[in-house]
């Protein structure tokens, strides 16, 4: 407690009744949350009476580890979880109330697309005429209450109903269902809600400004029992409205809990006074916000450095030159440098610049380990073992590795499944043993072998702590290595890399199974766990590389030195966001505020005079947000001096041949779904 300031101590010690903590950027909110949990445990509150909800598995793990360090306890009964993982926990015990079976599957985006295609075909529609991504985005918005049916989208309403029915028939749920269905169960079955209220008497929500309306309803249903609910957030950092976040939930909380206590954490422990003054100058222009102003005890920060290069090539040269200067003169590590962009479409310019300057870098945001093709294959096998009703997984693995199963065989299976109103797997079991089966000869033998393969390994995988054993046996029996070699005949290194990933996957499972604190090492639990983990980026392994990422991806992170390139009108704020609604200007400003407050010591901003857009060069204008930074905090780079410096660095590079041994590594390919609007 002695490490906390007065306002933090007050927040920690307030455990009874509703509490709203407005925690500014860098104000130590994670420390407050973890100390608060430790304080409650120290006051004799039972572990299993506390529920802490956050947004990423990484944040939940960090929170649990810090509480464990503070208390010295194992904390097996403490519930620290993401909203969606907690939703899985509720559904695992109650989903049968809605007509599902306990061993449901969680469909990811690709599974949803495949299911939607199948639904479209069954309704005799043309899947090619439908934008699957947009349709699923609409369905998500409808399901979570962010949109209503209207004249523009009403024609898709029957498809929405059939898609939902297909999910139920396949005993599957999508990511939205992990929130929506528990809310439905709580509302329709008061006895279930009563059980959860009786257990969780103390509820905490981190990053409250990022909650959706559905998540707010989920929290409120639970919290209205004891009303001992603490929410921690910052409306100035609400930047995810495009995925359902609603900063107005803070206002809802104030209305729903009039007896609340409110505490503001305004002392910043991250940034210099100059950076905070710049951030405050910007965010004060937003009207829809709670009044607060960050301050810090440290003074003497360097001014914000602004440069107006002629074009993106000069911009890249300036940033790489400054990074090398920070390295050589200030001893800054590359991993402590962040280059934050409004959209991932700008990444290419900086990758080229970093490669030319021999600066190692990593691109954040992209394909998860669990989304790689070979891992998806293995997960589909495990899903089918856990849930034979899962037609999506069945169709993925029936011919992986190749078994000579053609379109006609799949059509026979589909017709049989429809006639018997059963899954494809069950239909296969009926057909291979039928006297008049159309599946004979070599195909019939392959299908019988497939059934035996699944059943044999299912009996192993369903035993606690035997999933990795079953997977390794499956790899051997299917000769998955041989399959990869055939798939990549012209590049055996790709086959080796993909097979190495599968081996790593088995090792991950084995480590999870051996964890002594894992109280439920079963197949269903593991599949639900990776279904959630697959939505998050891999852990950062690029501490020796410059971090190139979107501003959205940088939220929650901090760097000694931050570069904000392309701070130009039309990019910051983004033109597409303003086209959708003029009201989006405030979220765009919050996004710029988040970018500024990622910097601990130094902040560099660039705005090009010209930039290539869609192949043609355009005149650019600096972002209007730059004018909101107090001018006395800014120093502009002298163009002529920078030109001389550039020529000096170029001459040195020619003389000594540049540095050797540096390379670029992408931790993952840039994610096309990364927000660009």
């Amino acid at each position: 407690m002695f490490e906390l300031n007065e306002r933090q101590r007050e927040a920690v010690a307030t455990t009874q009744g509703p509490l709203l903590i407005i925690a500014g950027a860098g104000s130590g909110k994670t420390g407050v949350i973890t100390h608060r949990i430790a304080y409650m445990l120290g006051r004799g509150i039972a572990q299993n009476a506390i529920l802490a909800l956050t947004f990423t598995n990484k944040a939940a793990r960090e929170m649990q580890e810090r509480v464990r360090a503070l208390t010295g306890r194992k904390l097996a009964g403490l519930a620290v979880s993401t909203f969606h993982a907690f939703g899985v926990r509720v559904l695992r015990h109650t989903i049968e109330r809605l007509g599902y079976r306990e061993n449901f599957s969680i469909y990811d985006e690709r599974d949803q697309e495949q299911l939607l295609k199948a639904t479209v075909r069954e309704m005799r529609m043309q899947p090619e005429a439908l934008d699957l991504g947009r349709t699923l985005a609409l369905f998500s918005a409808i399901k979570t209450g962010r949109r209503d049916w209207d004249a523009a989208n009403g024609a898709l309403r029957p498809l929405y109903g059939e898609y939902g029915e297909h999910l139920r028939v396949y005993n599957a749920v999508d990511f939205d269902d992990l929130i929506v269905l528990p809310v439905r169960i709580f509302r329709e079955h008061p006895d279930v809600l009563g059980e959860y209220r009786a257990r969780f008497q103390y509820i905490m929500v981190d990053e409250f400004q990022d909650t959706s309306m559905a998540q707010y309803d989920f929290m409120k249903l639970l919290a209205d029992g004891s009303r001992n609910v603490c929410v921690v957030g910052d409306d100035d950092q609400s930047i995810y409205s495009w995925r359902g976040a609603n900063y107005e939930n803070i206002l809802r909380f104030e209305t729903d809990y009039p007896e609340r206590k409110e505490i503001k954490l305004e002392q910043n422990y991250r940034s210099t006074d100059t950076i905070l003054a710049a951030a405050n100058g910007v965010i004060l222009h937003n009207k829809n916000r709670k009044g607060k102003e960050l301050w810090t005890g440290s003074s003497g920060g360097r001014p914000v450095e602004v440069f107006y290069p002629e074009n993106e090539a000069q911009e890249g040269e300036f940033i790489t030159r400054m990074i090398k200067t920070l390295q050589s003169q200030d001893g800054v590590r590359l991993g402590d440098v962040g280059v934050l962009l409004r959209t991932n479409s700008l990444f290419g310019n900086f990758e080229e610049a970093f490669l030319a300057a021999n600066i190692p870098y990593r691109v954040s945001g992209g394909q998860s380990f669990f989304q790689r093709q070979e891992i998806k294959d293995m997960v589909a096998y495990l899903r089918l073992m856990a849930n034979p009703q899962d037609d999506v997984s069945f169709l993925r693995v029936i011919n992986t590795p190749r078994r000579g199963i053609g379109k006609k065989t799949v059509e026979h299976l589909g017709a049989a499944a429809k006639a018997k109103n059963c899954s494809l797997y069950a239909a296969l079991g009926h057909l291979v043993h039928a006297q008049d089966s159309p599946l004979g000869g070599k195909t019939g033998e392959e299908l019988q072998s497939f059934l035996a393969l699944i059943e044999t390994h299912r009996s192993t995988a369903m035993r606690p702590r035997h999933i990795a054993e079953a997977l390794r046996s499956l790899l051997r029996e299917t000769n998955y290595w041989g399959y990869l070699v055939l798939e990549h005949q012209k590049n055996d290194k790709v086959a080796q890399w993909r097979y190495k990933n599968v081996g790593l996957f088995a090792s991950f499972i084995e480590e999870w199974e051996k964890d002594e604190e894992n109280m439920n090492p079963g197949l269903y639990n593991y599949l639900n766990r990776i279904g959630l983990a697959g939505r998050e980026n891999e852990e950062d392994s690029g501490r020796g590389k410059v971090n190139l990422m979107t501003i959205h991806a940088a939220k929650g992170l901090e760097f000694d030195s931050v570069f904000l390139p392309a701070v130009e009108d039309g990019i910051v704020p983004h033109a597409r966001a303003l086209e959708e609604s003029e009201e989006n200007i405030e979220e765009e400003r919050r996004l710029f505020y988040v970018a500024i407050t990622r910097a601990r010591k130094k902040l560099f901003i660039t705005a090009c005079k010209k930039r290539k857009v869609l192949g043609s060069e355009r005149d650019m204008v600096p972002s209007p947000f730059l004018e909101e930074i107090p001018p006395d905090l800014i120093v502009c780079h002298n163009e002529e001096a920078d030109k001389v410096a550039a020529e000096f660095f170029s001459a040195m590079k020619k003389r000594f041949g540049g540095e050797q041994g540096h390379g670029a590594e992408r931790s993952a390919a840039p994610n096309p779904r990364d927000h660009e609007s």
Side-chain angles (χ1 to χ4, degrees):
M1 293 285 284
F2 63 88
E3 296 178 352
L4 305 175
N5 64 40
E6 182 180 349
R7 301 299 282 167
Q8 290 174 330
R9 285 196 296 273
E10 183 182 4
V12 166
T14 304
T15 60
Q16 301 300 311
L19 173 64
L20 171 61
I21 301 175
I22 302 297
S27 62
K29 70 176 178 62
T30 303
V32 168
I33 293 170
T34 53
H35 275 80
R36 193 171 187 272
I37 294 173
Y39 178 82
M40 287 192 285
L41 294 174
R43 302 278 290 185
I45 294 173
Q47 290 184 29
N48 61 10
I50 300 171
L51 171 63
L53 297 170
T54 186
F55 280 83
T56 67
N57 291 323
K58 182 180 179 181
R61 285 195 303 271
E62 180 185 353
M63 197 180 296
Q64 193 138 18
E65 286 166 4
R66 289 177 70 165
V67 175
R68 189 181 292 120
L70 286 169
T71 62
R73 303 185 191 181
K74 287 190 174 181
L75 306 178
L78 181 66
V80 180
S81 168
T82 65
F83 269 94
H84 290 89
F86 185 70
V88 171
R89 178 174 177 170
V90 172
L91 293 179
R92 183 62 58 211
H93 296 99
T94 62
I95 198 168
E96 292 175 344
R97 302 276 188 125
L98 300 179
Y100 292 78
R101 294 181 300 282
E102 182 185 352
N103 61 330
F104 61 88
S105 297
I106 302 173
Y107 277 11
D108 64 13
E109 289 162 7
R110 294 185 189 180
D111 296 332
Q112 288 177 259
E113 286 187 1
Q114 289 187 1
L115 183 63
L116 184 58
K117 278 184 184 178
T119 307
V120 167
R121 291 193 183 100
E122 285 189 21
M123 296 182 69
R124 300 187 182 281
M125 298 168 66
Q126 295 298 320
E128 296 78 14
L130 201 66
D131 187 320
L132 298 178
R134 285 181 179 271
T135 302
L136 287 171
L138 170 65
F139 288 1
S140 173
I142 295 290
K143 183 179 290 189
T144 56
R146 288 180 282 131
R147 286 189 64 179
D148 294 317
W149 294 110
D150 55 34
N153 57 43
L156 292 172
R157 194 166 189 167
L159 177 60
Y160 175 79
E162 279 299 313
Y163 169 75
E165 184 60 20
H166 274 66
L167 279 171
R168 191 190 63 77
V169 169
Y170 293 147
N171 200 41
V173 299
D174 61 26
F175 209 60
D176 292 321
D177 287 327
L178 301 182
I179 305 298
V180 172
L181 292 184
V183 169
R184 181 181 159 193
I185 289 170
F186 284 167
R187 285 175 171 160
E188 295 179 3
H189 301 277
D191 60 315
V192 175
L193 176 58
E195 290 175 10
Y196 279 88
R197 282 181 173 177
R199 173 173 176 181
F200 296 111
Q201 295 286 307
Y202 298 87
I203 297 170
M204 297 185 65
V205 181
D206 189 18
E207 302 289 4
F208 187 62
Q209 77 282 345
D210 293 337
T211 53
S212 65
M213 290 185 291
Q215 288 166 332
Y216 182 92
D217 291 340
F218 195 7
M219 173 217 76
K220 186 174 183 298
L221 282 164
L222 285 168
D224 278 357
S226 66
R227 297 183 79 81
N228 294 328
V229 54
C230 169
V231 298
V232 186
D234 179 9
D235 52 341
D236 288 338
Q237 296 187 72
S238 181
I239 59 173
Y240 293 115
S241 65
W242 49 277
R243 69 181 189 195
N246 189 345
Y247 73 93
E248 291 184 352
N249 280 345
I250 292 177
L251 302 179
R252 289 181 69 189
F253 187 86
E254 291 176 338
T255 301
D256 291 336
Y257 298 93
E259 77 276 28
R260 76 194 178 283
K261 184 172 186 177
E262 182 174 318
I263 297 173
K264 291 181 181 179
L265 304 180
E266 297 172 296
Q267 183 174 356
N268 177 284
Y269 294 93
R270 175 189 300 156
S271 306
T272 65
D273 55 351
T274 303
I275 291 170
L276 289 185
N280 286 330
V282 170
I283 204 63
L284 283 171
H285 287 77
N286 271 5
K287 297 177 181 178
N288 299 311
R289 63 185 292 265
K290 293 185 71 66
K292 63 180 173 300
E293 187 165 341
L294 296 181
W295 62 277
T296 180
S298 61
S299 58
R302 287 176 51 168
V304 177
E305 300 186 38
V306 179
F307 180 54
Y308 299 100
E310 283 296 322
N311 52 40
E312 59 266 38
Q314 195 179 96
E315 180 179 53
E317 289 172 3
F318 167 76
I319 290 176
T320 55
R321 188 167 65 250
M322 291 306 303
I323 290 173
K324 289 199 169 188
T325 299
L326 290 171
Q327 263 191 301
S328 60
Q329 294 185 6
D330 299 344
V332 172
R333 297 182 305 173
L334 292 181
D336 290 329
V337 176
V339 179
L340 315 184
L341 293 156
R342 175 61 182 85
T343 78
N344 58 20
S345 63
L346 297 168
F347 281 170
N349 299 333
F350 298 96
E351 294 186 66
E352 287 291 329
F354 292 150
L355 286 170
N358 289 311
I359 293 177
Y361 68 92
R362 67 186 299 269
V363 175
S364 292
Q367 190 181 45
S368 161
F369 177 83
F370 296 99
Q371 294 300 314
R372 293 173 183 167
Q373 182 179 334
E374 61 275 15
I375 305 304
K376 293 272 284 183
D377 289 343
M378 296 302 106
V379 170
Y381 269 110
L382 294 175
R383 280 182 172 175
L384 187 60
M385 293 176 201
N387 177 18
Q389 309 297 318
D390 187 345
D391 285 357
V392 172
S393 293
F394 176 92
L395 290 172
R396 184 180 184 97
V397 302
I398 186 64
N399 217 23
T400 305
R402 306 202 182 282
R403 299 182 175 89
I405 309 301
K407 178 184 175 185
K408 187 166 287 188
T409 301
V410 174
E411 287 176 347
H412 279 309
L413 289 172
K418 189 172 184 179
K420 294 182 178 293
N421 192 26
C422 65
S423 68
L424 293 173
Y425 188 85
L428 175 59
H430 291 304
L431 285 178
V432 297
H433 295 109
Q435 293 291 331
D436 56 345
S437 174
L439 308 177
K442 177 69 173 172
T443 300
E445 291 175 9
E446 287 287 352
L447 290 171
Q448 286 192 33
S449 296
F450 175 75
L451 276 176
L453 177 81
I454 299 299
E455 290 301 322
T456 299
H457 291 87
R458 184 172 194 265
S459 64
T460 303
M462 294 297 287
R463 292 161 56 197
R465 306 190 195 278
H466 282 73
I467 307 169
E469 177 188 333
L471 182 61
R472 290 183 175 121
S473 175
L474 181 80
L475 286 168
R476 290 191 297 269
E477 202 163 322
T478 59
N479 189 22
Y480 193 76
W481 163 245
Y483 161 70
L484 291 177
V485 170
L486 288 173
E487 287 285 296
H488 303 282
Q489 294 182 40
K490 295 181 180 180
N491 192 343
D492 61 351
K493 288 185 178 179
V494 174
Q496 292 171 8
W497 180 76
R498 289 180 61 190
Y499 195 72
K500 182 180 178 181
N501 287 337
V502 174
L504 192 60
F505 181 48
S507 298
F508 287 165
I509 297 174
E510 188 172 51
E511 290 175 11
W512 177 80
E513 290 178 318
K514 288 180 177 179
D515 185 355
E516 293 180 357
E517 293 190 23
N518 182 0
M519 306 304 292
N520 185 12
L523 181 56
Y524 298 144
N525 196 32
Y526 185 76
L527 289 173
N528 286 327
R529 177 178 179 270
I530 64 171
L532 299 171
R535 290 180 168 260
E536 295 188 60
N537 293 333
E538 293 178 75
E539 296 289 338
D540 179 9
S541 59
R543 297 183 186 278
K545 302 177 178 66
V546 170
N547 299 278
L548 178 62
M549 59 180 62
T550 62
I551 300 172
H552 282 97
K555 186 172 180 294
L557 303 178
E558 57 186 60
F559 306 97
D560 279 351
S561 303
V562 166
F563 291 85
L564 303 182
V567 182
E568 300 144 16
D569 196 17
I571 299 176
V572 180
H574 202 284
R576 196 183 310 165
L578 300 188
E579 286 169 9
E580 291 174 0
S581 172
E582 290 184 4
E583 294 178 359
N584 285 339
I585 186 68
E586 294 217 345
E587 178 153 339
E588 290 293 301
R589 186 178 281 111
R590 291 195 294 268
L591 192 60
F592 189 51
Y593 171 83
V594 166
I596 292 173
T597 55
R598 298 311 93 196
R600 286 192 286 254
K601 300 176 182 177
K602 297 173 185 174
L603 177 64
F604 302 86
I605 298 175
T606 59
C608 288
K609 297 175 183 176
K610 296 180 184 292
R611 184 178 297 279
K612 283 186 179 177
V613 180
L614 299 176
S616 61
E617 191 170 70
R618 296 185 187 177
D619 291 328
M620 305 301 290
V621 176
S623 168
F625 294 159
L626 278 177
E627 297 178 8
E628 298 173 356
I629 299 176
D632 60 304
L633 303 178
I634 291 176
V635 60
C636 289
H637 274 259
N638 182 291
E639 201 166 326
E640 190 60 37
D642 283 317
K643 184 178 179 181
V644 171
E647 291 172 352
F648 171 76
F649 272 95
S650 178
M652 293 294 286
K653 184 176 179 181
K654 287 178 182 177
R655 181 177 177 185
F656 296 107
E659 296 179 34
Q660 301 296 320
H662 285 301
E665 176 183 311
R666 298 170 182 258
S667 65
N671 188 351
R673 289 181 60 84
D674 215 340
H675 186 57
E676 292 192 33
S677 60

